[in-house]
Amino acid sequence: HLDWFSYFSNLLEVMNPIQTPHDLLFDYPALSKGKYPSYDVLIVNSVPMSGQLPDYNPWFFERLVKEYKDQGLSVITTLPTGLCESTLQLGMSVTDIGCLAKSVNRIQGVDTGPMWTTYNVWSTTPTRIVYSAAHAINLLNTITYSTLGNT
């Protein structure tokens, strides 16, 4: 992404506002506000609607929830699984999910809308595992898998 911004800034003959990976993090003030419960794991199991994960399978994420819960970890998902709380059932917005990211240890899931606000300046330490056939995410030491079968 840094190369993309550099290319277009040069093309437009304007200063490039994105110089470092940190510049790509969301920093709008609403992400710094609010208190949310702590969870060990946030699973972004929202359905990808732009082809970023052709082998999306909701049961893959249900299995992840079961595995983490069997390890005694607290889990929240973006879509209901019937196995734990979900941000959808709690009426949380994408901004709320970004705020929630400040209080989790691991974020794992699909490269889709609710994942992106977790990349913010107040949430730089959770381990991130992202599934995306579209591109690798070179931000905050994210581990990217191109298919669900790679894990």
Side-chain angles (χ1 to χ4, degrees), residues 96-150:
D96 292 325
I97 294 168
C99 291
L100 176 68
K102 297 181 295 190
S103 61
V104 300
N105 298 320
R106 174 179 287 232
I107 300 169
Q108 188 165 354
V110 180
D111 173 22
T112 191
M115 178 66 76
W116 284 102
T117 56
T118 72
Y119 286 95
N120 68 70
V121 298
W122 296 279
S123 175
T124 59
T125 57
T127 300
R128 287 179 172 80
I129 299 174
V130 177
Y131 304 96
S132 175
H135 60 275
I137 300 167
N138 296 322
L139 197 57
L140 299 178
N141 298 315
T142 298
I143 300 166
T144 306
Y145 293 108
S146 60
T147 68
L148 295 177
N150 289 350

Side-chain angles (χ1 to χ4, degrees), residues 4-68:
W4 184 85
F5 279 98
S6 180
Y7 170 78
F8 278 104
S9 294
N10 287 335
L11 189 67
L12 297 170
E13 298 179 351
V14 297
M15 187 188 91
N16 181 0
I18 309 296
Q19 298 292 321
T20 69
H22 187 269
D23 295 331
L24 293 166
L25 299 176
F26 285 98
D27 64 355
Y28 60 93
L31 288 169
S32 70
K33 299 183 178 12
K35 299 256 183 199
Y36 294 87
S38 292
Y39 295 90
D40 294 307
V41 183
L42 164 61
I43 295 179
V44 178
N45 60 333
S46 299
V47 180
M49 302 302 287
S50 301
Q52 61 270 52
L53 189 63
D55 69 339
Y56 174 84
N57 181 331
W59 297 282
F60 173 86
F61 295 101
E62 288 180 18
R63 182 178 53 86
L64 272 181
V65 171
K66 287 178 189 172
E67 287 176 13
Y68 285 131

